[in-house]
Amino acid sequence: MSAPIVTPVPAAAFDVEAVRAQFPVLAQQIRGKHLVYLDSGASAQKPEVVVQAVADCYRGYYSNIHRGVHALSERSTTAFERAREQVARFVNAPSPREIVFLRSTTEAINLVANSFLEPQLGPDDEILVTEMEHHSNIVPWQLVADRYGAKVVAAPVTDRGELDLDGLTRLIHGRTKLVAVTHVSNVLGTINPIADIVRLAHAQGVPVLVDGAQGVPHLAVDVQALGCDFYAFSAHKVYGPSGVGALWARAELLAAMPPYQGGGGMIRRVSFSGTTFADPPERFEAGTPDVAGVIGFGAAVEWTRALGLDAIAAHEHELTQYAMARLADIPGLRLIGTAADKAGVVSFVMDGVHPHDIGTILDGEGVAVRVGHHCAQPLMERFAVPATARASFGVYNTSADVDALAAALDKVRHWFG
Ligand code: PMP
Protein backbone atom coordinates (compact mmCIF):
# COMPACT_ATOMS: atom_id res chain seq x y z
CA MET A 1 0.00 0.00 0.00
CA SER A 2 1.39 3.39 -0.90
CA ALA A 3 1.21 6.76 0.85
CA PRO A 4 -2.20 8.32 1.59
CA ILE A 5 -4.20 10.08 -1.06
CA VAL A 6 -6.02 13.17 0.08
CA THR A 7 -9.37 13.83 -1.54
CA PRO A 8 -9.81 17.58 -1.63
CA VAL A 9 -13.15 19.27 -1.22
CA PRO A 10 -13.89 21.45 -4.28
CA ALA A 11 -12.68 24.98 -3.50
CA ALA A 12 -15.59 26.76 -5.14
CA ALA A 13 -18.37 25.52 -2.88
CA PHE A 14 -18.09 26.15 0.85
CA ASP A 15 -20.94 23.99 1.97
CA VAL A 16 -20.82 23.83 5.76
CA GLU A 17 -23.08 20.76 5.95
CA ALA A 18 -20.78 18.90 3.55
CA VAL A 19 -17.84 19.97 5.72
CA ARG A 20 -19.57 18.80 8.92
CA ALA A 21 -20.24 15.41 7.38
CA GLN A 22 -16.50 14.86 7.23
CA PHE A 23 -16.19 15.15 11.03
CA PRO A 24 -17.86 12.06 12.54
CA VAL A 25 -17.12 13.24 16.08
CA LEU A 26 -19.60 16.09 15.66
CA ALA A 27 -22.55 13.79 15.08
CA GLN A 28 -23.09 12.87 18.71
CA GLN A 29 -25.22 13.88 21.63
CA ILE A 30 -23.85 15.20 24.90
CA ARG A 31 -26.21 14.82 27.87
CA GLY A 32 -29.07 14.29 25.46
CA LYS A 33 -28.30 17.42 23.43
CA HIS A 34 -26.62 17.84 20.05
CA LEU A 35 -22.93 18.52 20.52
CA VAL A 36 -22.08 22.15 19.76
CA TYR A 37 -18.30 22.27 19.58
CA LEU A 38 -17.04 25.80 20.16
CA ASP A 39 -13.54 24.98 21.38
CA SER A 40 -11.53 24.78 18.16
CA GLY A 41 -9.19 27.47 19.48
CA ALA A 42 -7.93 24.93 22.01
CA SER A 43 -7.87 22.12 19.46
CA ALA A 44 -9.77 21.47 16.26
CA GLN A 45 -11.57 18.26 15.39
CA LYS A 46 -10.18 16.03 12.64
CA PRO A 47 -11.78 15.30 9.27
CA GLU A 48 -11.97 11.74 7.93
CA VAL A 49 -9.10 12.28 5.47
CA VAL A 50 -6.73 13.06 8.32
CA VAL A 51 -7.84 10.08 10.42
CA GLN A 52 -7.55 7.97 7.28
CA ALA A 53 -4.07 9.24 6.40
CA VAL A 54 -2.79 8.33 9.87
CA ALA A 55 -4.56 4.94 9.82
CA ASP A 56 -3.29 4.20 6.28
CA CYS A 57 0.25 4.83 7.45
CA TYR A 58 -0.02 2.46 10.41
CA ARG A 59 -2.01 -0.15 8.49
CA GLY A 60 -0.11 -0.07 5.26
CA TYR A 61 3.45 1.20 5.26
CA TYR A 62 4.58 2.43 8.70
CA SER A 63 8.26 2.24 9.53
CA ASN A 64 10.92 4.48 10.98
CA ILE A 65 12.20 6.97 8.41
CA HIS A 66 15.46 8.11 6.82
CA ARG A 67 17.77 5.37 8.03
CA GLY A 68 16.10 2.32 6.55
CA VAL A 69 16.95 0.73 3.22
CA HIS A 70 13.91 -1.54 3.18
CA ALA A 71 10.72 -0.84 1.26
CA LEU A 72 8.51 0.26 4.16
CA SER A 73 11.11 2.72 5.42
CA GLU A 74 11.42 4.15 1.94
CA ARG A 75 7.66 4.57 1.66
CA SER A 76 7.37 6.18 5.08
CA THR A 77 10.27 8.49 4.29
CA THR A 78 8.67 9.50 0.99
CA ALA A 79 5.33 10.25 2.70
CA PHE A 80 7.06 12.14 5.52
CA GLU A 81 9.04 14.30 3.11
CA ARG A 82 5.95 14.85 1.01
CA ALA A 83 4.28 16.25 4.14
CA ARG A 84 7.17 18.67 4.42
CA GLU A 85 6.40 19.87 0.89
CA GLN A 86 2.68 20.14 1.71
CA VAL A 87 3.32 22.16 4.88
CA ALA A 88 5.79 24.41 3.03
CA ARG A 89 3.21 25.06 0.30
CA PHE A 90 0.56 25.77 2.96
CA VAL A 91 2.50 28.78 4.30
CA ASN A 92 4.14 29.59 0.95
CA ALA A 93 7.64 28.86 2.23
CA PRO A 94 10.28 29.26 -0.49
CA SER A 95 11.59 25.74 0.21
CA PRO A 96 10.50 22.63 2.14
CA ARG A 97 14.01 22.64 3.65
CA GLU A 98 12.89 25.68 5.64
CA ILE A 99 10.25 23.60 7.45
CA VAL A 100 11.39 21.95 10.69
CA PHE A 101 9.00 19.35 12.11
CA LEU A 102 8.63 19.58 15.88
CA ARG A 103 6.10 18.69 18.55
CA SER A 104 4.20 21.97 18.56
CA THR A 105 4.22 25.76 18.41
CA THR A 106 5.60 25.61 21.94
CA GLU A 107 8.59 23.52 20.93
CA ALA A 108 9.19 25.69 17.86
CA ILE A 109 9.40 28.82 20.02
CA ASN A 110 11.68 27.06 22.52
CA LEU A 111 13.94 26.07 19.63
CA VAL A 112 14.26 29.68 18.46
CA ALA A 113 14.79 30.90 22.03
CA ASN A 114 17.59 28.44 22.70
CA SER A 115 19.25 28.10 19.34
CA PHE A 116 18.77 31.48 17.65
CA LEU A 117 18.43 33.93 20.53
CA GLU A 118 20.56 32.55 23.33
CA PRO A 119 23.95 32.76 21.53
CA GLN A 120 23.51 36.50 20.98
CA LEU A 121 21.93 37.49 24.30
CA GLY A 122 23.65 39.72 26.88
CA PRO A 123 22.76 41.80 29.95
CA ASP A 124 20.01 44.40 29.41
CA ASP A 125 19.06 43.00 26.03
CA GLU A 126 15.33 42.86 25.42
CA ILE A 127 12.85 40.55 23.76
CA LEU A 128 9.74 42.46 22.79
CA VAL A 129 6.43 40.60 23.01
CA THR A 130 2.90 41.97 23.47
CA GLU A 131 0.38 41.91 26.29
CA MET A 132 -1.80 39.53 24.29
CA GLU A 133 0.68 36.66 24.04
CA HIS A 134 0.01 33.05 24.99
CA HIS A 135 2.37 31.79 27.72
CA SER A 136 4.15 29.81 24.96
CA ASN A 137 5.33 33.10 23.51
CA ILE A 138 6.40 34.56 26.87
CA VAL A 139 7.92 31.89 29.09
CA PRO A 140 10.54 30.46 26.65
CA TRP A 141 11.95 34.00 26.25
CA GLN A 142 11.94 34.56 30.01
CA LEU A 143 13.83 31.32 30.58
CA VAL A 144 16.71 32.34 28.30
CA ALA A 145 16.56 36.02 29.30
CA ASP A 146 16.96 35.12 32.98
CA ARG A 147 20.21 33.29 32.23
CA TYR A 148 21.81 36.44 30.76
CA GLY A 149 20.31 39.35 32.69
CA ALA A 150 18.15 40.19 29.68
CA LYS A 151 14.43 40.94 29.94
CA VAL A 152 11.11 40.40 28.26
CA VAL A 153 9.05 43.55 27.70
CA ALA A 154 5.48 43.76 26.43
CA ALA A 155 3.92 46.16 23.94
CA PRO A 156 0.54 47.51 25.11
CA VAL A 157 -2.92 46.43 24.00
CA THR A 158 -5.80 48.92 23.70
CA ASP A 159 -9.17 48.58 25.45
CA ARG A 160 -10.64 47.08 22.27
CA GLY A 161 -7.91 44.45 22.29
CA GLU A 162 -5.85 45.84 19.43
CA LEU A 163 -2.12 46.15 19.47
CA ASP A 164 -0.96 49.72 20.14
CA LEU A 165 1.48 50.07 17.23
CA ASP A 166 2.88 53.39 18.45
CA GLY A 167 3.52 51.82 21.84
CA LEU A 168 5.22 48.89 20.13
CA THR A 169 7.37 51.19 17.98
CA ARG A 170 8.54 53.11 21.06
CA LEU A 171 9.74 49.87 22.64
CA ILE A 172 11.97 48.83 19.70
CA HIS A 173 15.53 50.12 20.17
CA GLY A 174 19.19 49.21 19.95
CA ARG A 175 19.00 46.51 22.63
CA THR A 176 15.93 44.78 21.20
CA LYS A 177 17.08 41.38 20.00
CA LEU A 178 13.78 39.99 18.74
CA VAL A 179 10.11 40.89 18.34
CA ALA A 180 7.84 37.91 19.09
CA VAL A 181 4.16 38.45 18.36
CA THR A 182 1.07 36.37 17.83
CA HIS A 183 -0.64 36.41 14.44
CA VAL A 184 -4.09 35.98 16.00
CA SER A 185 -4.85 36.28 19.73
CA ASN A 186 -6.29 33.08 21.21
CA VAL A 187 -8.33 35.16 23.68
CA LEU A 188 -9.33 38.31 21.79
CA GLY A 189 -9.37 36.98 18.24
CA THR A 190 -7.45 40.08 17.18
CA ILE A 191 -5.60 39.70 13.88
CA ASN A 192 -2.32 41.58 14.24
CA PRO A 193 -0.91 43.57 11.30
CA ILE A 194 2.17 41.38 10.97
CA ALA A 195 3.54 42.92 7.76
CA ASP A 196 3.47 46.38 9.40
CA ILE A 197 5.11 45.08 12.58
CA VAL A 198 7.81 43.39 10.50
CA ARG A 199 8.49 46.65 8.63
CA LEU A 200 8.82 48.56 11.93
CA ALA A 201 11.14 45.94 13.44
CA HIS A 202 13.26 45.38 10.34
CA ALA A 203 13.75 49.14 9.97
CA GLN A 204 15.78 48.83 13.17
CA GLY A 205 17.43 45.56 12.20
CA VAL A 206 15.33 43.47 14.60
CA PRO A 207 14.11 40.02 13.49
CA VAL A 208 10.49 38.94 14.02
CA LEU A 209 9.02 35.64 15.16
CA VAL A 210 5.30 35.10 14.59
CA ASP A 211 3.33 32.72 16.80
CA GLY A 212 1.04 31.33 14.13
CA ALA A 213 -0.84 28.80 16.30
CA GLN A 214 -4.11 30.69 15.79
CA GLY A 215 -3.12 32.15 12.41
CA VAL A 216 -3.01 29.04 10.22
CA PRO A 217 -6.52 27.77 11.02
CA HIS A 218 -8.20 31.06 10.13
CA LEU A 219 -6.12 32.92 7.56
CA ALA A 220 -4.26 32.28 4.32
CA VAL A 221 -0.68 32.52 5.56
CA ASP A 222 2.09 33.58 3.21
CA VAL A 223 5.35 33.87 5.13
CA GLN A 224 7.02 35.62 2.20
CA ALA A 225 4.32 38.30 2.04
CA LEU A 226 4.39 38.73 5.84
CA GLY A 227 8.16 39.24 5.61
CA CYS A 228 8.78 37.70 9.06
CA ASP A 229 11.81 35.62 9.98
CA PHE A 230 10.20 32.77 11.94
CA TYR A 231 6.64 31.39 11.87
CA ALA A 232 5.64 28.73 14.43
CA PHE A 233 2.46 26.63 14.28
CA SER A 234 0.80 23.40 15.46
CA ALA A 235 -0.98 20.74 13.43
CA HIS A 236 -3.76 20.16 15.95
CA LYS A 237 -5.31 23.60 15.55
CA VAL A 238 -5.50 23.22 11.79
CA TYR A 239 -7.41 19.91 11.74
CA GLY A 240 -4.29 17.75 12.06
CA PRO A 241 -3.00 15.41 14.78
CA SER A 242 -1.85 16.67 18.16
CA GLY A 243 1.79 16.36 19.15
CA VAL A 244 3.06 17.67 15.80
CA GLY A 245 4.04 21.17 14.77
CA ALA A 246 6.37 23.11 12.54
CA LEU A 247 8.74 26.02 12.48
CA TRP A 248 9.30 27.90 9.26
CA ALA A 249 12.48 29.97 9.28
CA ARG A 250 14.59 31.64 6.63
CA ALA A 251 17.20 29.22 5.28
CA GLU A 252 20.11 31.51 6.17
CA LEU A 253 18.92 31.80 9.79
CA LEU A 254 18.49 28.04 10.16
CA ALA A 255 21.91 27.46 8.60
CA ALA A 256 23.57 29.65 11.25
CA MET A 257 21.72 28.12 14.21
CA PRO A 258 23.40 25.46 16.40
CA PRO A 259 21.47 22.32 17.35
CA TYR A 260 18.98 22.60 20.20
CA GLN A 261 18.58 18.94 21.12
CA GLY A 262 21.09 16.18 20.40
CA GLY A 263 20.34 12.62 19.34
CA GLY A 264 19.85 10.38 16.36
CA GLY A 265 19.01 11.79 12.96
CA MET A 266 20.59 15.22 13.47
CA ILE A 267 24.27 14.38 12.98
CA ARG A 268 26.69 14.09 10.09
CA ARG A 269 29.32 12.15 12.01
CA VAL A 270 29.72 11.24 15.68
CA SER A 271 33.00 10.43 17.37
CA PHE A 272 34.38 10.93 20.87
CA SER A 273 36.79 13.52 19.49
CA GLY A 274 33.90 15.63 18.19
CA THR A 275 30.57 15.49 16.39
CA THR A 276 29.45 17.30 13.27
CA PHE A 277 25.84 18.05 12.49
CA ALA A 278 23.41 17.57 9.63
CA ASP A 279 22.14 20.51 7.63
CA PRO A 280 18.75 21.99 8.49
CA PRO A 281 16.02 20.94 8.85
CA GLU A 282 17.35 17.54 10.11
CA ARG A 283 19.80 19.34 12.44
CA PHE A 284 16.76 20.31 14.53
CA GLU A 285 14.86 17.03 14.32
CA ALA A 286 16.68 14.83 16.83
CA GLY A 287 15.15 11.44 17.55
CA THR A 288 12.34 9.48 15.93
CA PRO A 289 9.58 11.87 14.94
CA ASP A 290 5.84 11.22 15.00
CA VAL A 291 5.97 9.75 11.49
CA ALA A 292 2.24 9.09 11.10
CA GLY A 293 1.41 12.38 12.83
CA VAL A 294 3.49 14.37 10.37
CA ILE A 295 1.85 12.52 7.48
CA GLY A 296 -1.53 13.42 9.02
CA PHE A 297 -0.34 17.04 9.29
CA GLY A 298 0.36 17.03 5.55
CA ALA A 299 -3.11 15.62 4.86
CA ALA A 300 -4.68 18.25 7.14
CA VAL A 301 -3.06 21.23 5.46
CA GLU A 302 -3.87 19.87 2.01
CA TRP A 303 -7.49 19.42 3.07
CA THR A 304 -7.65 22.93 4.54
CA ARG A 305 -5.98 24.44 1.49
CA ALA A 306 -8.40 22.64 -0.83
CA LEU A 307 -11.33 23.98 1.17
CA GLY A 308 -9.88 27.44 0.59
CA LEU A 309 -8.49 29.67 3.33
CA ASP A 310 -10.28 32.71 1.96
CA ALA A 311 -13.60 30.85 2.01
CA ILE A 312 -12.88 29.63 5.55
CA ALA A 313 -11.97 33.16 6.70
CA ALA A 314 -15.18 34.56 5.18
CA HIS A 315 -17.33 31.84 6.78
CA GLU A 316 -15.76 32.31 10.20
CA HIS A 317 -15.89 36.10 9.94
CA GLU A 318 -19.63 35.91 9.35
CA LEU A 319 -20.07 33.58 12.33
CA THR A 320 -17.94 35.78 14.58
CA GLN A 321 -19.89 38.90 13.66
CA TYR A 322 -23.17 37.09 14.22
CA ALA A 323 -21.98 35.74 17.60
CA MET A 324 -20.79 39.19 18.73
CA ALA A 325 -24.17 40.67 17.83
CA ARG A 326 -26.14 37.88 19.56
CA LEU A 327 -24.03 37.96 22.70
CA ALA A 328 -24.02 41.76 22.94
CA ASP A 329 -27.81 41.54 23.37
CA ILE A 330 -27.53 39.41 26.53
CA PRO A 331 -27.93 41.62 29.63
CA GLY A 332 -24.88 41.64 31.91
CA LEU A 333 -22.58 40.08 29.30
CA ARG A 334 -19.39 41.93 28.36
CA LEU A 335 -17.30 41.05 25.33
CA ILE A 336 -13.54 41.07 25.84
CA GLY A 337 -11.89 41.85 22.52
CA THR A 338 -13.74 43.92 19.96
CA ALA A 339 -10.93 44.59 17.48
CA ALA A 340 -11.91 45.74 13.99
CA ASP A 341 -9.91 42.87 12.48
CA LYS A 342 -10.91 39.73 14.32
CA ALA A 343 -10.91 35.98 13.60
CA GLY A 344 -13.01 33.16 14.98
CA VAL A 345 -12.80 33.84 18.74
CA VAL A 346 -15.34 35.45 21.09
CA SER A 347 -14.39 35.93 24.75
CA PHE A 348 -16.77 37.27 27.36
CA VAL A 349 -17.58 37.64 31.04
CA MET A 350 -20.99 37.87 32.73
CA ASP A 351 -21.88 39.99 35.74
CA GLY A 352 -21.98 37.94 38.92
CA VAL A 353 -21.17 34.60 37.26
CA HIS A 354 -17.78 32.93 37.39
CA PRO A 355 -16.63 31.75 33.94
CA HIS A 356 -16.29 28.19 35.30
CA ASP A 357 -20.00 28.20 36.17
CA ILE A 358 -20.76 29.43 32.65
CA GLY A 359 -18.70 26.55 31.23
CA THR A 360 -20.43 23.95 33.40
CA ILE A 361 -23.95 25.13 32.60
CA LEU A 362 -23.14 25.31 28.89
CA ASP A 363 -21.75 21.79 28.99
CA GLY A 364 -25.09 20.64 30.39
CA GLU A 365 -26.64 22.05 27.21
CA GLY A 366 -24.15 20.22 24.98
CA VAL A 367 -22.21 23.42 24.26
CA ALA A 368 -18.43 23.06 24.61
CA VAL A 369 -16.56 26.28 25.31
CA ARG A 370 -13.30 26.96 27.14
CA VAL A 371 -13.17 28.90 30.39
CA GLY A 372 -10.17 30.12 32.35
CA HIS A 373 -7.13 32.28 31.66
CA HIS A 374 -6.43 30.60 28.31
CA CYS A 375 -2.68 30.52 29.08
CA ALA A 376 -2.68 34.31 28.84
CA GLN A 377 -2.51 35.49 32.44
CA PRO A 378 -0.86 38.86 31.63
CA LEU A 379 -3.76 39.59 29.28
CA MET A 380 -6.29 38.71 32.01
CA GLU A 381 -4.46 41.21 34.21
CA ARG A 382 -4.60 43.82 31.44
CA PHE A 383 -8.39 43.46 31.26
CA ALA A 384 -8.70 43.11 35.06
CA VAL A 385 -10.57 39.79 34.88
CA PRO A 386 -9.52 36.51 36.49
CA ALA A 387 -10.78 34.47 33.57
CA THR A 388 -13.14 34.57 30.59
CA ALA A 389 -15.45 32.19 28.77
CA ARG A 390 -14.40 31.71 25.16
CA ALA A 391 -16.27 30.40 22.14
CA SER A 392 -13.98 29.67 19.21
CA PHE A 393 -15.06 28.66 15.74
CA GLY A 394 -13.87 26.18 13.17
CA VAL A 395 -14.84 25.37 9.59
CA TYR A 396 -17.70 23.14 10.78
CA ASN A 397 -19.56 25.68 12.92
CA THR A 398 -22.89 27.13 11.86
CA SER A 399 -25.16 30.00 12.86
CA ALA A 400 -27.31 27.34 14.60
CA ASP A 401 -24.31 26.69 16.88
CA VAL A 402 -24.28 30.39 17.77
CA ASP A 403 -28.03 30.26 18.45
CA ALA A 404 -27.48 27.26 20.75
CA LEU A 405 -24.76 29.20 22.58
CA ALA A 406 -27.01 32.24 23.01
CA ALA A 407 -29.89 30.05 24.26
CA ALA A 408 -27.60 28.31 26.75
CA LEU A 409 -26.31 31.69 27.97
CA ASP A 410 -29.90 32.76 28.57
CA LYS A 411 -30.17 29.76 30.90
CA VAL A 412 -27.01 30.92 32.70
CA ARG A 413 -28.57 34.34 33.15
CA HIS A 414 -31.78 32.87 34.54
CA TRP A 415 -29.87 30.63 36.97
CA PHE A 416 -27.88 33.55 38.28
CA GLY A 417 -30.47 36.27 37.63
N1 PMP B 1 0.10 30.32 20.86
C1 PMP B 1 -1.21 30.49 20.80
C2 PMP B 1 -1.75 31.83 20.35
C3 PMP B 1 -2.07 29.46 21.13
O1 PMP B 1 -3.40 29.63 21.07
C4 PMP B 1 -1.52 28.22 21.54
C5 PMP B 1 -2.42 27.06 21.93
N2 PMP B 1 -3.47 27.40 22.77
C6 PMP B 1 -0.14 28.09 21.57
C7 PMP B 1 0.65 29.16 21.23
C8 PMP B 1 0.51 26.82 21.98
O2 PMP B 1 0.25 25.80 21.07
P1 PMP B 1 0.70 24.31 21.40
O3 PMP B 1 0.10 23.96 22.72
O4 PMP B 1 0.15 23.51 20.27
O5 PMP B 1 2.19 24.32 21.44
Side-chain angles (χ1 to χ4, degrees), residues 73-136:
S73 183
E74 271 177 27
R75 282 194 216 161
S76 284
T77 303
T78 301
F80 186 91
E81 290 305 324
R82 194 172 61 175
R84 203 187 298 279
E85 288 166 17
Q86 292 165 329
V87 171
R89 190 159 53 228
F90 185 60
V91 294
N92 197 30
S95 160
R97 307 291 298 163
E98 297 182 353
I99 297 292
V100 182
F101 283 127
L102 297 156
R103 274 194 300 116
S104 58
T105 305
T106 302
E107 193 178 35
I109 295 175
N110 276 277
L111 164 61
V112 177
N114 285 277
S115 178
F116 172 78
L117 188 68
E118 173 165 349
Q120 41 168 320
L121 214 54
D124 301 324
D125 282 344
E126 293 184 1
I127 301 104
L128 178 56
V129 299
T130 81
E131 287 180 331
M132 70 171 87
E133 299 310 315
H134 187 281
H135 296 164
S136 295

Side-chain angles (χ1 to χ4, degrees), residues 315-382:
H315 171 69
E316 292 177 352
H317 179 74
E318 216 170 278
L319 276 181
T320 308
Q321 294 304 111
Y322 180 56
M324 304 256 290
R326 286 295 312 261
L327 268 53
D329 277 348
I330 297 174
L333 186 148
R334 179 161 63 95
L335 295 167
I336 307 279
T338 50
D341 209 5
K342 195 170 148 90
V345 179
V346 179
S347 272
F348 56 93
V349 290
M350 290 174 88
D351 286 346
V353 194
H354 193 281
H356 280 95
D357 292 327
I358 300 177
T360 304
I361 295 171
L362 262 49
D363 181 55
E365 300 299 309
V367 179
V369 297
R370 188 138 298 240
V371 294
H373 55 62
H374 315 292
C375 297
Q377 285 179 339
L379 188 66
M380 297 295 111
E381 224 172 277
R382 162 65 184 83

Side-chain angles (χ1 to χ4, degrees), residues 41-42 104-107 134 136 182 184 186 211 213-214 234 236-237:
S104 58
T105 305
T106 302
E107 193 178 35
H134 187 281
S136 295
T182 193
V184 174
N186 65 313
D211 170 351
Q214 300 288 345
S234 299
H236 70 98
K237 303 217 196 246

Side-chain angles (χ1 to χ4, degrees), residues 30 47 148 175 190 273 308 315 368 397:
I30 300 288
Y148 295 90
R175 300 215 69 86
T190 308
S273 56
H315 171 69
N397 288 119

Side-chain angles (χ1 to χ4, degrees), residues 54-66:
V54 173
D56 283 351
C57 171
Y58 283 128
R59 288 214 181 95
Y61 63 95
Y62 173 77
S63 171
N64 208 333
I65 55 165
H66 289 149

Side-chain angles (χ1 to χ4, degrees), residues 143-158:
L143 288 173
V144 288
D146 281 352
R147 298 206 284 267
Y148 295 90
K151 58 177 186 275
V152 176
V153 295
V157 165
T158 68

